[in-house]
Amino acid sequence: MKKDAKFSTKAIRVGQLPTDENSHSEPLFLTSSFVFDSAEQAAAIFAGEEKGNVYSRFTNPTVRSFEQRLAALEGAERSVAFASGMAAIQATIMSLLNSGDHIVAAKQLFGSIPSLINNYFIKFGIEVTYVDVSDVSAWQAAIQDNTRLFFLETPSNPLCEIADVAAIASISKANDILLVVDNCFATPYLQKPLAQGADIIIHSATKYLDGQGRCVGGAVCGSNELMEELFKYVRTAGSCMSPFNAWVCLKGLETLHLRIQAHCASAMRVALWLSEQPQVGKVNYSGLPTHPQHQLAASQMNNHFGGILSFELAEGGNDEVFKIINSIQLLSRTANLGDAKTTITHPATTTHARVGAEVRKTMGISDRLIRLSVGLEDTQDIIEDLQQAFNQLG
């Protein structure tokens, strides 16, 4: 395959495994271990002197195919797959930082990430400072002598705030700090953080990479040097992606470009409709011209804006939000996202419940906020389901 093949071609063709049976679809290697031709070969493979499969915790052909394909789509030298997105984040911090190191992280993160840092990594001597993801000057101001890593997600969950990746990368490189970008919401189809100066990309493959809510997985992409450290970690710690889940995500990548196009188109239409509803006080979607970072998002995300949006009711709180969510007839009441099915959730009591009310307040997550992951159903049906739910408010 030519080096300059287009995204859709890479999404379908990279990482194909030829087999003796001439299978057209990538084979699924459901095995815990692999046999060797001789004791000498086993010793050579274990020593790293010869390539080969050893044990599916760290060498499995199906997992490797997924890693190769995702790396190609992100423009990375290498990718390492994990059991979940959170496992990928844990491995990144555990393998690249030491006790006494300092992280600067966006305060606008998926709720489990600050919980992981604040409840666990701090116990092992990792320090953290949280800053506003969109305030470039805040990233510079938060740097300490022991700062080793910047961590952000863009667009953010659930308010769809946008980080200026290139500007933050310029600061990180000038200070010899690694920049880690969670690219889950945008996917490599819309956004390539490595090309904008980031060092590492993290994915919850559970979301759009699979795209149909079938399995859990995670991945990290970056340079060969950095990914070797993560590979050593997964080999030792065992937080590996299963071959079956890798195969599911591998097949999901084949349609990623088509699905994301449809997600973006429907989300834009839903966001425009929501912005006209009297029950809605604010819509958070970077595709709207009213979004404060619309132009940055347009330039950074290939002029498309993803399938996730959130909105605040004009008035009320949990009772009114719950009334809407409980009145839904078509959409799925679940905290997952990136699915073919449209999902609806209340971040304050689900995805960000564990961070606490005061922290949610600093993140801008109110009790009136509802998050939508706009799926692939007919857009008019999605809108009509929301409309009948709004009607229940009176």
Side-chain angles (χ1 to χ4, degrees):
M1 186 174 63
K2 60 181 183 178
K3 292 183 179 180
D4 61 345
K6 300 298 188 290
F7 186 97
S8 56
T9 303
K10 291 178 180 177
I12 293 170
R13 293 291 181 178
V14 170
Q16 284 189 301
L17 284 171
T19 66
D20 293 339
E21 292 77 16
N22 294 321
S23 169
H24 191 213
S25 179
E26 292 80 4
L28 173 54
F29 285 84
L30 290 177
T31 181
S32 58
S33 64
F34 300 84
V35 297
F36 308 103
D37 294 336
S38 66
E40 288 80 5
Q41 184 191 48
I45 292 176
F46 265 84
E49 299 166 356
E50 182 180 331
K51 290 186 177 180
N53 299 306
V54 176
Y55 191 56
S56 281
R57 186 177 72 236
F58 61 99
T59 51
N60 181 279
T62 308
V63 176
R64 189 160 56 247
S65 288
F66 167 69
E67 292 171 338
Q68 291 172 351
R69 186 169 295 177
L70 180 59
L73 296 181
E74 284 287 10
E77 291 180 343
R78 187 175 176 185
S79 175
V80 181
F82 292 89
S84 68
M86 291 306 301
I89 293 169
Q90 179 199 50
T92 300
I93 296 175
M94 289 290 287
S95 60
L96 299 177
L97 298 187
N98 296 307
S99 179
D101 287 345
H102 175 245
I103 299 171
V104 180
K107 64 182 179 181
Q108 300 94 334
L109 292 171
F110 168 55
S112 291
I113 300 172
S115 294
L116 177 67
I117 295 172
N118 298 340
N119 295 331
Y120 299 100
F121 285 127
I122 283 180
K123 293 196 297 185
F124 297 96
I126 300 293
E127 302 173 15
V128 62
T129 299
Y130 293 101
V131 300
D132 190 314
V133 68
S134 61
D135 185 351
V136 174
S137 63
W139 292 88
Q140 176 71 61
I143 295 174
Q144 302 175 178
D145 291 341
N146 59 339
T147 304
R148 299 290 177 265
L149 189 142
F150 284 175
F151 191 103
L152 62 88
E153 59 186 41
T154 183
S156 71
N157 182 6
L159 298 177
C160 300
E161 294 137 306
I162 306 298
D164 189 332
V165 175
I168 297 172
S170 178
I171 295 171
S172 66
K173 290 188 183 306
N175 292 275
D176 196 25
I177 296 167
L178 293 173
L179 173 57
V180 179
V181 176
D182 185 326
N183 202 28
C184 177
F185 274 27
T187 81
Y189 182 69
L190 296 182
Q191 178 173 270
K192 289 187 169 55
L194 294 181
Q196 298 165 10
D199 298 290
I200 293 171
I201 293 168
I202 288 180
H203 280 284
S204 171
T206 312
K207 311 304 191 292
Y208 287 110
L209 302 191
D210 165 29
Q212 296 183 55
R214 297 169 291 189
C215 67
V216 176
V220 185
C221 306
S223 67
N224 281 321
E225 180 182 3
L226 292 174
M227 293 306 99
E228 180 61 22
E229 292 303 312
L230 271 79
F231 172 74
K232 291 175 182 176
Y233 179 88
V234 74
R235 175 172 184 165
T236 303
S239 51
C240 56
M241 177 181 277
S242 74
F244 181 79
N245 288 3
W247 184 82
V248 170
C249 292
L250 182 67
K251 305 310 290 182
L253 290 178
E254 294 182 352
T255 60
L256 179 64
H257 58 293
L258 299 173
R259 290 185 285 106
I260 293 299
Q261 289 171 14
H263 285 298
C264 290
S266 286
M268 177 65 82
R269 187 176 165 193
V270 172
L272 287 169
W273 178 83
L274 283 168
S275 67
E276 297 173 349
Q277 304 313 303
Q279 301 94 336
V280 176
K282 181 181 181 182
V283 180
N284 303 302
Y285 187 64
S286 61
L288 296 176
T290 54
H291 190 284
Q293 298 156 301
H294 173 69
Q295 292 301 323
L296 173 61
S299 63
Q300 192 167 275
M301 295 175 61
N302 196 25
N303 207 34
H304 291 80
F305 305 94
I308 311 296
L309 60 91
S310 61
F311 63 94
E312 282 191 14
L313 296 183
E315 55 186 30
N318 281 3
D319 289 345
E320 288 72 21
V321 166
F322 283 13
K323 192 169 204 177
I324 288 176
I325 294 176
N326 290 338
S327 299
I328 287 297
Q329 297 175 2
L330 174 69
L331 280 55
S332 301
R333 288 181 285 270
T334 179
N336 195 28
L337 58 88
D339 200 307
K341 301 177 180 70
T342 298
T343 68
I344 185 169
T345 195
H346 181 225
T349 55
T350 60
T351 59
H352 291 72
R354 287 191 293 166
V355 302
E358 288 303 315
V359 175
R360 284 197 301 275
K361 185 176 180 180
T362 66
M363 297 170 75
I365 299 173
S366 75
D367 289 344
R368 296 194 301 271
L369 186 74
I370 296 173
R371 190 192 71 191
L372 294 177
S373 172
V374 181
L376 303 180
E377 306 95 340
D378 186 279
T379 313
Q380 188 59 35
D381 288 334
I382 297 171
I383 290 173
E384 289 179 2
D385 194 30
L386 289 168
Q387 180 67 76
Q388 65 82 24
F390 283 167
N391 290 344
Q392 306 310 309
L393 292 178

